Amino acid sequence: MKNRLYIGFAISILLVLTGSILSYVTFKRQTRESEWVQHTYEVITQAQRINRLIYDMQVSGSNYRLIQDEKFLDPYYATKPRIAPAIAGLRRLTIDNLAQQRQIDTIETDINRLVQYWEDLGTRIPIEYVFSHQLEVSFTEGKYRKPRTGVFFRW
């Protein structure tokens, strides 16, 4: 009877230890996955910031070309220097992923071409042409969208 009691006690301790170990491993895994989810949200948020900067620049330039009032260029010039740091921040967030780094290189090149395109527009292009060539920029993962200017943005 005494041996059976010890065996039952040992089995119950073994079950508690096994449950504790499994719980610990599960919590560690969930913590790791939670960190990856958080990281993914940071990358998406940074990409959306870049998207918003481009949109703000586009609206500012379009308003200037429509109304021909220089005050509408203030947001354009205030936003332009914020693009490079935003891209650098996105690059830092994705330093561990070579494929994303290549995509950021492409995005950076395309954004530079886009900004140059807007600056080349200036006031010498008719307003009708500007409105027929507005841009759609998408950093949605896995989606490709061709802006009306022919510049591709992919994320």
Side-chain angles (χ1 to χ4, degrees), residues 2-35:
K2 197 175 183 183
N3 285 339
R4 287 184 183 174
L5 185 60
Y6 286 137
I7 291 173
F9 187 66
I11 290 174
S12 63
I13 289 178
L14 185 62
L15 288 174
V16 168
L17 286 175
T18 303
S20 298
I21 291 170
L22 289 176
S23 294
Y24 176 77
V25 169
T26 301
F27 287 136
K28 286 300 247 182
R29 187 178 315 131
Q30 286 177 340
T31 302
R32 250 190 334 268
E33 290 174 3
S34 174
E35 290 169 356

CSV table of all heavy atoms in Angstrom, one decimal, residues 2-35:
chain,number,residue,atom,x,y,z
A,2,LYS,N,1.9,1.2,0.8
A,2,LYS,CA,2.8,2.4,0.9
A,2,LYS,C,3.5,2.6,-0.5
A,2,LYS,O,3.6,3.8,-0.9
A,2,LYS,CB,3.9,2.1,2.0
A,2,LYS,CG,4.6,3.3,2.4
A,2,LYS,CD,5.5,2.9,3.6
A,2,LYS,CE,6.2,4.1,4.1
A,2,LYS,NZ,7.1,3.8,5.2
A,3,ASN,N,3.9,1.6,-1.2
A,3,ASN,CA,4.6,1.7,-2.5
A,3,ASN,C,3.6,2.3,-3.5
A,3,ASN,O,4.0,3.2,-4.3
A,3,ASN,CB,5.1,0.4,-3.0
A,3,ASN,CG,6.4,0.0,-2.3
A,3,ASN,OD1,7.0,0.8,-1.7
A,3,ASN,ND2,6.7,-1.3,-2.3
A,4,ARG,N,2.4,1.9,-3.5
A,4,ARG,CA,1.4,2.4,-4.4
A,4,ARG,C,1.1,3.9,-4.1
A,4,ARG,O,0.9,4.7,-5.1
A,4,ARG,CB,0.0,1.7,-4.2
A,4,ARG,CG,0.1,0.3,-4.8
A,4,ARG,CD,-1.3,-0.3,-4.7
A,4,ARG,NE,-1.2,-1.7,-5.2
A,4,ARG,CZ,-2.2,-2.5,-5.2
A,4,ARG,NH1,-3.3,-2.2,-4.6
A,4,ARG,NH2,-2.1,-3.7,-5.7
A,5,LEU,N,1.1,4.3,-2.9
A,5,LEU,CA,1.0,5.7,-2.5
A,5,LEU,C,2.2,6.5,-3.1
A,5,LEU,O,1.9,7.6,-3.6
A,5,LEU,CB,0.9,5.8,-1.0
A,5,LEU,CG,0.6,7.2,-0.5
A,5,LEU,CD1,-0.8,7.7,-1.0
A,5,LEU,CD2,0.5,7.2,1.0
A,6,TYR,N,3.4,6.0,-2.9
A,6,TYR,CA,4.6,6.7,-3.5
A,6,TYR,C,4.5,6.8,-5.0
A,6,TYR,O,4.8,7.8,-5.6
A,6,TYR,CB,5.8,6.0,-3.0
A,6,TYR,CG,6.2,6.3,-1.6
A,6,TYR,CD1,6.6,5.2,-0.8
A,6,TYR,CD2,6.1,7.5,-1.0
A,6,TYR,CE1,7.0,5.4,0.6
A,6,TYR,CE2,6.4,7.7,0.3
A,6,TYR,CZ,6.9,6.7,1.1
A,6,TYR,OH,7.2,6.9,2.4
A,7,ILE,N,4.1,5.7,-5.6
A,7,ILE,CA,4.0,5.7,-7.1
A,7,ILE,C,2.9,6.7,-7.5
A,7,ILE,O,3.2,7.5,-8.5
A,7,ILE,CB,3.7,4.3,-7.6
A,7,ILE,CG1,4.9,3.4,-7.4
A,7,ILE,CG2,3.3,4.3,-9.1
A,7,ILE,CD1,4.7,1.9,-7.7
A,8,GLY,N,1.8,6.7,-6.9
A,8,GLY,CA,0.8,7.7,-7.2
A,8,GLY,C,1.2,9.1,-7.0
A,8,GLY,O,1.0,10.0,-7.9
A,9,PHE,N,1.9,9.4,-5.9
A,9,PHE,CA,2.5,10.7,-5.6
A,9,PHE,C,3.5,11.1,-6.7
A,9,PHE,O,3.5,12.2,-7.2
A,9,PHE,CB,3.1,10.7,-4.2
A,9,PHE,CG,3.5,12.1,-3.8
A,9,PHE,CD1,2.6,13.1,-3.6
A,9,PHE,CD2,4.8,12.4,-3.5
A,9,PHE,CE1,2.9,14.3,-3.1
A,9,PHE,CE2,5.2,13.6,-3.1
A,9,PHE,CZ,4.3,14.6,-2.9
A,10,ALA,N,4.4,10.2,-7.1
A,10,ALA,CA,5.4,10.4,-8.1
A,10,ALA,C,4.8,10.7,-9.4
A,10,ALA,O,5.2,11.6,-10.2
A,10,ALA,CB,6.4,9.2,-8.2
A,11,ILE,N,3.7,10.0,-9.8
A,11,ILE,CA,3.0,10.2,-11.1
A,11,ILE,C,2.4,11.6,-11.1
A,11,ILE,O,2.5,12.3,-12.1
A,11,ILE,CB,2.0,9.1,-11.4
A,11,ILE,CG1,2.8,7.8,-11.7
A,11,ILE,CG2,1.1,9.5,-12.5
A,11,ILE,CD1,1.9,6.6,-11.8
A,12,SER,N,1.8,12.0,-10.0
A,12,SER,CA,1.1,13.3,-9.9
A,12,SER,C,2.2,14.4,-10.0
A,12,SER,O,1.9,15.4,-10.7
A,12,SER,CB,0.3,13.4,-8.7
A,12,SER,OG,1.0,13.4,-7.5
A,13,ILE,N,3.3,14.3,-9.3
A,13,ILE,CA,4.4,15.3,-9.5
A,13,ILE,C,4.9,15.3,-10.9
A,13,ILE,O,5.1,16.4,-11.4
A,13,ILE,CB,5.5,15.0,-8.4
A,13,ILE,CG1,5.0,15.3,-7.0
A,13,ILE,CG2,6.8,15.8,-8.8
A,13,ILE,CD1,6.0,15.0,-6.0
A,14,LEU,N,5.1,14.2,-11.5
A,14,LEU,CA,5.6,14.1,-12.9
A,14,LEU,C,4.6,14.8,-13.8
A,14,LEU,O,5.0,15.6,-14.7
A,14,LEU,CB,5.8,12.6,-13.3
A,14,LEU,CG,6.4,12.4,-14.7
A,14,LEU,CD1,7.8,13.0,-14.8
A,14,LEU,CD2,6.4,10.9,-15.0
A,15,LEU,N,3.3,14.6,-13.6
A,15,LEU,CA,2.3,15.3,-14.4
A,15,LEU,C,2.3,16.8,-14.2
A,15,LEU,O,2.1,17.5,-15.2
A,15,LEU,CB,0.9,14.7,-14.1
A,15,LEU,CG,0.6,13.3,-14.6
A,15,LEU,CD1,-0.8,12.8,-14.2
A,15,LEU,CD2,0.7,13.2,-16.2
A,16,VAL,N,2.4,17.2,-13.0
A,16,VAL,CA,2.5,18.6,-12.7
A,16,VAL,C,3.7,19.3,-13.4
A,16,VAL,O,3.7,20.3,-14.0
A,16,VAL,CB,2.5,18.9,-11.2
A,16,VAL,CG1,2.8,20.4,-10.9
A,16,VAL,CG2,1.1,18.6,-10.6
A,17,LEU,N,4.9,18.6,-13.3
A,17,LEU,CA,6.1,19.1,-13.9
A,17,LEU,C,6.0,19.1,-15.5
A,17,LEU,O,6.4,20.1,-16.1
A,17,LEU,CB,7.3,18.2,-13.5
A,17,LEU,CG,7.8,18.4,-12.1
A,17,LEU,CD1,8.9,17.4,-11.8
A,17,LEU,CD2,8.3,19.8,-11.9
A,18,THR,N,5.4,18.1,-16.0
A,18,THR,CA,5.2,18.0,-17.5
A,18,THR,C,4.3,19.2,-17.9
A,18,THR,O,4.5,19.9,-18.9
A,18,THR,CB,4.6,16.7,-17.9
A,18,THR,OG1,5.4,15.6,-17.5
A,18,THR,CG2,4.4,16.6,-19.4
A,19,GLY,N,3.2,19.4,-17.2
A,19,GLY,CA,2.3,20.5,-17.5
A,19,GLY,C,3.0,21.8,-17.4
A,19,GLY,O,2.8,22.7,-18.2
A,20,SER,N,3.8,22.0,-16.4
A,20,SER,CA,4.5,23.2,-16.2
A,20,SER,C,5.5,23.5,-17.3
A,20,SER,O,5.6,24.6,-17.8
A,20,SER,CB,5.3,23.2,-14.9
A,20,SER,OG,4.4,23.1,-13.8
A,21,ILE,N,6.2,22.4,-17.7
A,21,ILE,CA,7.2,22.6,-18.8
A,21,ILE,C,6.4,22.9,-20.1
A,21,ILE,O,6.9,23.8,-20.9
A,21,ILE,CB,8.0,21.3,-19.0
A,21,ILE,CG1,9.0,21.2,-17.8
A,21,ILE,CG2,8.8,21.3,-20.3
A,21,ILE,CD1,9.7,19.9,-17.7
A,22,LEU,N,5.4,22.2,-20.4
A,22,LEU,CA,4.6,22.5,-21.6
A,22,LEU,C,4.0,24.0,-21.6
A,22,LEU,O,4.0,24.6,-22.6
A,22,LEU,CB,3.4,21.5,-21.8
A,22,LEU,CG,3.9,20.1,-22.2
A,22,LEU,CD1,2.7,19.2,-22.2
A,22,LEU,CD2,4.6,20.1,-23.5
A,23,SER,N,3.6,24.4,-20.4
A,23,SER,CA,3.1,25.8,-20.3
A,23,SER,C,4.2,26.8,-20.6
A,23,SER,O,4.0,27.8,-21.3
A,23,SER,CB,2.5,26.0,-18.9
A,23,SER,OG,1.3,25.2,-18.7
A,24,TYR,N,5.3,26.5,-20.0
A,24,TYR,CA,6.5,27.4,-20.2
A,24,TYR,C,6.9,27.5,-21.7
A,24,TYR,O,7.1,28.6,-22.2
A,24,TYR,CB,7.7,26.9,-19.4
A,24,TYR,CG,8.9,27.7,-19.6
A,24,TYR,CD1,9.1,29.0,-19.0
A,24,TYR,CD2,10.0,27.3,-20.4
A,24,TYR,CE1,10.2,29.7,-19.2
A,24,TYR,CE2,11.1,28.0,-20.6
A,24,TYR,CZ,11.2,29.3,-20.0
A,24,TYR,OH,12.3,30.0,-20.2
A,25,VAL,N,7.0,26.4,-22.3
A,25,VAL,CA,7.3,26.3,-23.8
A,25,VAL,C,6.3,27.1,-24.6
A,25,VAL,O,6.6,27.9,-25.5
A,25,VAL,CB,7.5,24.9,-24.3
A,25,VAL,CG1,7.6,24.8,-25.8
A,25,VAL,CG2,8.7,24.3,-23.6
A,26,THR,N,5.0,26.9,-24.3
A,26,THR,CA,3.9,27.5,-25.0
A,26,THR,C,4.0,29.0,-24.8
A,26,THR,O,3.8,29.8,-25.7
A,26,THR,CB,2.5,27.0,-24.5
A,26,THR,OG1,2.5,25.6,-24.8
A,26,THR,CG2,1.4,27.6,-25.2
A,27,PHE,N,4.2,29.5,-23.6
A,27,PHE,CA,4.3,30.9,-23.3
A,27,PHE,C,5.5,31.6,-24.0
A,27,PHE,O,5.3,32.7,-24.5
A,27,PHE,CB,4.3,31.2,-21.8
A,27,PHE,CG,3.0,31.0,-21.1
A,27,PHE,CD1,3.0,30.3,-19.9
A,27,PHE,CD2,1.8,31.5,-21.6
A,27,PHE,CE1,1.8,30.1,-19.2
A,27,PHE,CE2,0.6,31.3,-20.9
A,27,PHE,CZ,0.6,30.6,-19.7
A,28,LYS,N,6.6,30.9,-24.0
A,28,LYS,CA,7.7,31.4,-24.8
A,28,LYS,C,7.4,31.5,-26.3
A,28,LYS,O,7.8,32.5,-26.9
A,28,LYS,CB,9.0,30.5,-24.6
A,28,LYS,CG,9.6,30.6,-23.2
A,28,LYS,CD,10.1,32.0,-22.9
A,28,LYS,CE,11.5,32.0,-22.9
A,28,LYS,NZ,12.0,33.3,-22.6
A,29,ARG,N,6.8,30.5,-26.8
A,29,ARG,CA,6.4,30.5,-28.2
A,29,ARG,C,5.5,31.7,-28.5
A,29,ARG,O,5.6,32.4,-29.5
A,29,ARG,CB,5.8,29.2,-28.7
A,29,ARG,CG,5.6,29.1,-30.2
A,29,ARG,CD,5.0,27.8,-30.7
A,29,ARG,NE,5.7,26.7,-30.1
A,29,ARG,CZ,5.0,25.6,-29.5
A,29,ARG,NH1,3.7,25.6,-29.5
A,29,ARG,NH2,5.7,24.6,-29.0
A,30,GLN,N,4.5,31.9,-27.7
A,30,GLN,CA,3.5,32.9,-27.8
A,30,GLN,C,4.2,34.3,-27.7
A,30,GLN,O,3.8,35.2,-28.5
A,30,GLN,CB,2.4,32.8,-26.8
A,30,GLN,CG,1.4,31.7,-27.1
A,30,GLN,CD,0.4,31.6,-26.0
A,30,GLN,OE1,0.5,32.1,-24.9
A,30,GLN,NE2,-0.7,30.9,-26.3
A,31,THR,N,5.1,34.4,-26.8
A,31,THR,CA,5.9,35.7,-26.7
A,31,THR,C,6.7,36.0,-28.0
A,31,THR,O,6.6,37.1,-28.5
A,31,THR,CB,6.9,35.6,-25.5
A,31,THR,OG1,6.1,35.3,-24.3
A,31,THR,CG2,7.6,36.9,-25.3
A,32,ARG,N,7.3,35.0,-28.5
A,32,ARG,CA,8.1,35.2,-29.8
A,32,ARG,C,7.1,35.6,-30.9
A,32,ARG,O,7.4,36.5,-31.7
A,32,ARG,CB,8.8,33.9,-30.2
A,32,ARG,CG,10.3,33.9,-30.0
A,32,ARG,CD,11.0,32.7,-30.6
A,32,ARG,NE,10.3,31.5,-30.7
A,32,ARG,CZ,10.3,30.5,-29.8
A,32,ARG,NH1,11.0,30.7,-28.7
A,32,ARG,NH2,9.6,29.4,-30.0
A,33,GLU,N,6.0,34.9,-31.0
A,33,GLU,CA,5.0,35.2,-32.1
A,33,GLU,C,4.4,36.6,-31.9
A,33,GLU,O,4.2,37.3,-32.9
A,33,GLU,CB,4.0,34.1,-32.1
A,33,GLU,CG,4.5,32.8,-32.7
A,33,GLU,CD,3.4,31.6,-32.6
A,33,GLU,OE1,2.3,31.9,-32.2
A,33,GLU,OE2,3.8,30.5,-32.9
A,34,SER,N,4.2,36.9,-30.7
A,34,SER,CA,3.7,38.3,-30.4
A,34,SER,C,4.7,39.3,-30.8
A,34,SER,O,4.3,40.4,-31.3
A,34,SER,CB,3.4,38.4,-28.9
A,34,SER,OG,3.0,39.7,-28.5
A,35,GLU,N,5.9,39.1,-30.6
A,35,GLU,CA,7.0,40.1,-31.0
A,35,GLU,C,7.0,40.2,-32.5
A,35,GLU,O,7.2,41.3,-33.1
A,35,GLU,CB,8.3,39.6,-30.5
A,35,GLU,CG,8.5,39.8,-29.0
A,35,GLU,CD,9.7,39.1,-28.4
A,35,GLU,OE1,10.5,38.5,-29.2
A,35,GLU,OE2,9.9,39.3,-27.2
